[in-house]
């Protein structure tokens, strides 16, 4: 998580629980286009999931949720790397 803005988005999602982009934008000091890019990147990395998933969103509100297992897995991998394992 070298991107501070994405880390902030992830943290806010963890605090709020499943949220829409409007709910996130109300809590974060970030423009909607940037927030969309960060959410897309986090989704691509498997750190968040969406409901409904990509491809079936047409005109529907999307809810974003953190994937804690994936985050824990990445954190363990990072710690193993730092510790030389």
């Amino acid at each position: 998580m070298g991107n501070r803005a994405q880390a902030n988005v992830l943290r806010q999602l963890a605090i709020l629980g499943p949220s829409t982009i409007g709910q996130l934008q109300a809590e974060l000091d970030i423009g909607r286009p940037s927030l969309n890019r960060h959410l897309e990147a986090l989704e691509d990395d498997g750190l968040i999931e969406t409901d409904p998933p990509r491809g079936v969103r047409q005109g529907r509100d999307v809810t974003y949720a953190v994937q804690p297992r994936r985050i824990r897995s990445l954190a363990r991998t990072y710690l193993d790397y730092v510790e030389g394992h």
Side-chain angles (χ1 to χ4, degrees):
M1 289 302 311
N3 185 310
R4 179 177 227 124
Q6 287 179 13
N8 287 339
V9 171
L10 220 96
R11 181 176 185 274
Q12 197 61 47
L13 268 175
I15 292 168
L16 293 173
S19 305
T20 65
I21 194 165
Q23 292 167 319
L24 286 169
Q25 193 175 15
E27 298 295 327
L28 298 165
D29 185 26
I30 188 170
R32 195 175 190 106
S34 292
L35 182 53
N36 273 325
R37 283 191 300 276
H38 293 308
L39 288 166
E40 186 174 308
L42 290 167
E43 183 180 8
D44 289 345
D45 291 340
L47 299 173
I48 62 172
E49 69 177 359
T50 62
D51 182 31
R54 269 190 213 166
V56 291
R57 295 182 182 168
Q58 300 170 340
R60 297 176 61 191
D61 283 338
V62 178
T63 300
Y64 299 88
V66 171
Q67 292 297 294
R69 280 183 272 144
R70 174 75 172 134
I71 294 169
R72 285 187 197 103
S73 173
L74 287 175
R76 278 192 298 277
T77 300
Y78 178 74
L79 284 174
D80 287 346
Y81 169 76
V82 169
E83 294 172 349
H85 301 281

